[in-house]
Amino acid sequence: MPAVSVADLTVLPRVPAVAPAAVQRKVRSVTSAPSGFEGEGFPVKRAFAGVDLRDLDPFIHMDEMGAVEYAPGEPKGTPWHPHRGFETVTYIIDGIFDHQDSFGGGGTITDGDTQWMTAGSGILHIEAPPEHLVVSGGLFHGFQLWVNLPKVDKLKAPAYQDLRSSEVGLLTSADGGSLLRVIAGEVGGVAGPGSTHTPMAMVHATVAPGGELTLPWRRDFNALVYVMSGDGFVGPDQTPVGPGQLAVFGPGDALQISSARTQQERYAAGLDVVVLGGLPIREPVAWAGPFVMNTEAEVRKAFEDYQAGRLGQPVPHGDVGGASA
């Protein structure tokens, strides 16, 4: 797992201790992600399947892409497709993805980079492995998160953020046994590079075997922990969690996450999780395919606009610039 690593965690700032009166968030539910396929056939785990949208708000959907070891000629992506009404956040842990969109955004992301696309009023985009990766094959692993936009922002002009791994905020736990990569929001006084319309936090944390992590968490945010790999426990009741499981937390001021002392050999690094929280929007959600709006009429209009070509046109490969890793 390349992502972002640090040889000496002791040089990083530490998560501050939570206040003695802080309320530890209890676990409300644990669900297991079913497997499926996306785009041209790459394997995904549907992290939010079976969870009420009211518990996820402001998040809509999240896929764990892979991890998969592709043979030569196997890597796959997505064809050109539309979005309206929300933001897509694509975080690559291993492998390489190229992105292009119909408004000139795009680039290449790899090993800890993030592409943050605000679809807003409507956009077409494509995500695909570069040709050299298709030829060689290799490991691919990442996430795509959908973040809802409030009604007032749903028809904003599309935008694109290229977030390099070198910009990610880094800190460690109080015991020095966890590496936290802050992609968006602020955790423990360390901010991530992502600029969000909806107040939120996104953290990729690795908790060493036997390590404990207690995070101060905004009381007005919801709280979700998705396990990529390893075995561990969450919440004050030490609810067990494992790979492909999502824990939804109730109200409070802090999150507890700990890694099992004994891990399977393939999980030697410990517990690897994505921690999410955001300010609920609390507006009606009408969601159909690639469009997330407030009413069914708005969704129908989105389909009409797409079919009429009002969301832009595919761009010939190579005509879009953008940062490269």
Side-chain angles (χ1 to χ4, degrees):
M1 183 193 69
V4 177
S5 59
V6 176
D8 182 5
L9 296 182
T10 64
V11 304
L12 298 177
R14 302 207 174 197
V15 175
V18 300
V23 176
Q24 297 290 343
R25 290 178 178 245
K26 293 186 177 181
V27 176
R28 294 179 56 183
S29 67
V30 174
T31 54
S32 296
S35 298
F37 292 92
E38 187 55 79
E40 296 171 338
F42 58 85
V44 298
K45 294 187 183 78
R46 307 290 193 193
F48 293 166
V51 181
D52 194 303
L53 280 176
R54 290 171 294 185
D55 290 330
L56 299 173
D57 188 12
F59 309 113
I60 296 290
H61 171 80
M62 187 168 75
D63 278 342
E64 180 181 8
M65 305 180 294
V68 57
E69 184 73 45
Y70 282 121
E74 285 188 342
K76 299 175 177 66
T78 68
W80 283 95
H81 60 283
H83 289 304
R84 173 181 278 180
F86 64 101
E87 300 182 287
T88 65
V89 181
T90 306
Y91 172 57
I92 297 298
I93 297 171
D94 284 288
I96 308 173
F97 235 19
D98 286 342
H99 165 82
Q100 291 179 288
D101 67 47
S102 54
F103 278 76
T108 299
I109 55 173
T110 183
D111 297 353
D113 297 334
T114 302
Q115 59 187 25
W116 197 298
M117 187 183 77
T118 303
S121 60
I123 198 169
L124 301 185
H125 80 147
I126 186 172
E127 297 155 304
E131 185 60 32
H132 69 84
L133 182 63
V134 175
V135 171
S136 67
L139 182 61
F140 179 76
H141 188 201
F143 282 85
Q144 186 168 98
L145 171 70
W146 292 11
V147 185
N148 200 8
L149 288 170
K151 183 178 180 65
V152 68
D153 289 332
K154 281 194 177 293
L155 297 182
K156 289 181 75 74
Y160 177 80
Q161 298 176 63
D162 178 60
L163 309 179
R164 299 287 97 189
S165 60
S166 59
E167 300 173 294
V168 168
L170 299 175
L171 70 165
T172 187
S173 54
D175 66 4
S178 303
L179 173 60
L180 281 70
R181 310 160 185 88
V182 184
I183 298 166
E186 182 179 312
V187 176
V190 173
S195 176
T196 71
H197 287 87
T198 302
M200 59 166 284
M202 179 178 181
V203 179
H204 171 193
T206 304
V207 187
E212 296 183 355
L213 173 61
T214 300
L215 289 177
W217 208 249
R218 279 180 51 168
R219 178 174 280 270
D220 56 349
F221 277 15
N222 66 348
L224 312 167
V225 171
Y226 177 79
V227 180
M228 286 182 277
S229 62
D231 297 304
F233 309 91
V234 289
D237 297 328
Q238 291 287 282
T239 301
V241 290
Q245 291 192 312
L246 177 78
V248 177
F249 291 78
D253 308 294
L255 297 177
Q256 290 183 339
I257 304 168
S258 59
S259 177
R261 193 170 299 277
T262 302
Q263 299 279 352
Q264 300 177 50
E265 184 177 351
R266 57 180 171 162
Y267 302 144
L271 184 70
D272 213 32
V273 299
V274 173
V275 187
L276 297 168
L279 186 66
I281 297 172
R282 296 192 177 96
E283 293 177 350
V285 174
W287 173 17
F291 306 123
V292 181
M293 306 302 292
N294 295 113
T295 68
E296 291 183 9
E298 290 170 341
V299 171
R300 288 195 296 271
K301 181 65 163 59
F303 277 106
E304 291 169 4
D305 287 346
Y306 167 56
Q307 291 163 357
R310 300 187 190 104
L311 304 190
Q313 298 295 327
V315 179
H317 183 69
D319 284 6
V320 173
S324 60

